[in-house]
Amino acid sequence: MKLSELKNGETAVIVRLSGHGGFRKRIMEMGFIRGEKVKSVLDSPMHDPIKYHIMGYDISLRRGEADMIEVLPEEEAKKELTPAPSFSCFSACEECNGCACRSCTQRKVSTKKNNVINVALVGNPNSGKTSIFNALAGENEHVGNYSGVTIDAKTGSFNYKGYRINITDLPGTYSIAAYSPEEIYVRRHLFEQMPDIIINSVVASNVERNLYLTTELIDMNLRTVVALNMYDELLASGAKIDYEHLGGMMGIPMVPVIAKTGKGLDKLLDIVIELFEGKNSTIRHIHINYGNTLEGELAPLSERMHKASDLPYQFPVRYWALKLLEQDKEAIAQLHNCAELTEWQQMAGHAAKRIHTSLKIDVETAISDAKYGFINGALQETYTPGNKDTQKHTRRIDRLVANRWLGFPIFILVMWVMFYTVFLLGAYPQDWIDALFSFFGDFVTRFIPEGAIQDLIVDGIIGGVGSVAVFIPQILILYLFISLMEDSGYMARAAFIMDRLMHKMGLHGKSFIPMLMGFGCNVPAIMATRTIESHSSRIITILVTPFMSCSARLPVLVLFTGAFFPNHAPTVLISLYLLGIVVAVFTARLLRWTRFQKDETPFVMELPPYRIPTLRATLRHMWEKCEQYIRKIGTTILVATVIIWFLSYFPRPTESDNSTPANTEQMTESGYENSYIGMIGRAIEPALAPLGQNWRSSVAIITSIPAKELVVSTFGVLYSSDTEEGIESDLKESGDFSPRSAAAFLVFILLFFPCIATVATIATETGSRLWALFSVVYNTTVAWVAGYIVYIIGGLF
C-alpha cells in the first residue's frame, strides 16, 4: 500500500521507495528508509500535505510524494522484510596511528599551539545550532524554529582560557551533499576555509536522525565534537544515552549541552581546546562499513586515486571515492584539476552499475542504508528510549491550529490581531515620540536665528527624521509577532496549512515562509528563499516577495490610513496587506503560465515541536530589527532628508520677484513649488496625474526609491508647518489629497518597486540583473495600473 493511504493514527513500515533524484535523496536523509516505522498524524485543512511522524520527529509530505513510498502494516512487514543489517561494525583506521597516509588522513591541520582556533558550527535545522552560537559569541543572530532562518554564515569571536576562538555559524542542513544551496555552501566552507574544529549540534532527544550528518563528518575525517543540545528534553522524556560510550564508538567526543541556559558550554569549549591541542583520547578516525558489495567496489577506486599526486588534500581519498560513486556533481567540480578525473569517473560509473545489479538499489540508497545501519547499531548499545510522551502537547495544538475547519480562521485571526495591535497599541508611544521631537524642534528654534540653518535643522533634520522615528513602536510590535511565530513553531505550521493553496497559486509551500517574513523586511525574506530547492519556485518567490508590504512601508500606510480613513484604519491597513498578497498570487500564476511552466519539486519540511519562546531570544530579535531601523534613520534617511531639504529650499525666491505671495504660508508653498524638488515633481506629475497625484506626491514617490520610509520624511519637509497636530493634520488640511487620491497613493506605494537594497538582493539571489530590472519595470507598471483602477473606482462612490 502507499503511504498516502494510511489513515490518521495508523502506523506502518516502509518497504520500498520510488522516485528519483533530489526527492529520493532528501527523504532518505530525513529517515524514510526501508524498515523504518512511520505514522500518519494529521491532514492539513485542505487534506494536502499530510503530517507524518518518523524517527521521533514530524515531517510534512504532499500526497503525491507519499504515493512514492510503499508501506506495509507491521505484522506483514515482519514477514516480507529481512532484518536490516546493523552496522555497529566499523573499522578504525590503523594506518592513521602516527602516519600520514594519503588514503584517509584528514588535511594537514597544524596542532601547533597558538592563540587562535577557527571553529565551524554545523547541524540540522532546528537543532539549536544558532542558540549555541549566540550563547558563545554573543551575536544578535535570530533563533528561528523552522528551516532556513540561518541563511548565511555568521561569524563571531570570543576569548576562552587564553585562546581567541573564531566561530562560524553555517546554514542548517540535513546532510553535506549537493542537493540544496545550504548543503553546497557548508561543503564549500569546510573545503575552502578549513576550520580547525567542527562543533556538530545534535538534538539529544532525536539522535538517530541527527547523527546522519555526523556520519558524513566521519567520512570527511574532520576533527569534530558533538554538542548533544537540548539535553533537558532528553531527560524529560525519560530516555538515557551513554554519550561517552557512543562517542568512543564513533571516534568523536560528545558533550551534553543546554544552549538556552548555557549549561555544558564550558565543557564543550574545553573539548574544542583538547582537540586543537591533540590531547583528546576519544578522537580517532574510523571507517563506516558500507557492506561487502560497496566496500568491494570502493577499495580499488580508492587505491587508484591514492596514487594521484594532485588530489585535493582537504578531505581523505576514501571520501572522494564515495562521492564519485554517487556521481556527486559538486565533488566532480572540486576535482576538475585532477589529471585522471575522467578515468576515475569511468571506473566509478562501472562500479555503480555493478552495485545496482547486485543490490537492486542505487549507490546513494546503499550508502544511506549503511549509514543508518551504523547509527542503529551504535544506538542499540548506548541509547535507552524514554517512556514519557513529550510530543502530546504538540499534537494537541496541531489538532487545533491545523484543523480542517479551524486552521484557516485561526491563521486569519492571528494576522488580524497582529495588524490591529500594530496600529492600536503602537499609537500611544508614537504620540510620545512625536511630542519629544516637537519639543526638541522648539528648543532648537530658541537658540538659532531664523534662516537657512534653522530651517535645515528644525524642518529638515529634526522634522524629517522625527517623522520616521515615530514609527519605531509599530516596527517593534510587528517584529514581536513575527518572532513569536518563528520561535514557537507556528510559522512552519502556517506553511503546512498553506501548502496546497500555494501550490494551486503556482508557488511552493516553503514559499510562504519568505513571503511572511517579507512583512518584516524584503531583503532577508528574499535571502530565505535559499531553502526552496526548486529553481523555478525560488525565482518566482523572489519576484513576488516585494509585494509583501515590508515594515518600511508601514509608516506610510499608518500615516495615510490615520489621516484619511480614521474610522476604518485597521481594516484599510489589513486590506492593503491582502491586496499585496493577491497581486503576488496573480504574478506567481502569470510567471508559472509563461516563463516557468513546470515544477515537480516535492514539499518536504520538518515540523518542529512547539516551544515556548524565551524572553531573551524574543527581545534580542526585536532589538536587532529595531537597531537596524534606527541605524537606517541615522544614515540613509538622515542623508536623504538633508538632500530633500536642500532640493526643496533652493533656489530661494528673490525680493524683486513680483509673483512672491505676501503671507508666509503662501511664500513657503510657492518656494517649494519653484524649488529644485518642485521642478522634479512637476516634470513627473503628468505621469501620475491620472491617479489624482500632484507634484508633492510625485516627489515622495521618487524619494521612496532609496528607502520607503523617506515618503514620510519628504512629506515632513514639504508640509512643514507650525501646527501642533503634526504631519497627519497637515496632509488633511492641505487639500492635496482626497480619500480617493489617498487610496490610489497607498496602492501605488504598496506595489511600487522595492528599495534599492531589495533590488540589489534580487540581482544577487537570482544571479541575473535582468530579473532585478524585470522587478523594477513590472512592479512599477502594476502599481500604476492598480492605483489608476482604485482612483477610478473611488470616483464612483
Side-chain angles (χ1 to χ4, degrees), residues 400-417:
L400 180 66
V401 302
N403 182 273
R404 177 182 180 184
W405 303 108
L406 297 178
F408 282 113
I410 289 175
F411 173 72
I412 294 172
L413 177 63
V414 169
M415 294 293 102
W416 185 87
V417 169

Side-chain angles (χ1 to χ4, degrees), residues 309-329:
S309 59
D310 55 357
L311 197 68
Y313 62 86
Q314 284 88 342
F315 303 139
V317 176
R318 180 180 169 89
Y319 173 80
W320 294 119
L322 277 169
K323 292 297 137 183
L324 287 182
L325 283 177
E326 292 179 315
Q327 299 180 8
D328 187 297
K329 294 180 180 179

Side-chain angles (χ1 to χ4, degrees), residues 130 141-152 486 517 528 531:
T130 307
E141 173 64 13
H142 173 48
V143 183
N145 200 23
Y146 63 89
S147 172
V149 173
T150 307
I151 52 178
D152 225 338
E486 291 175 350
M517 289 177 65
T531 60

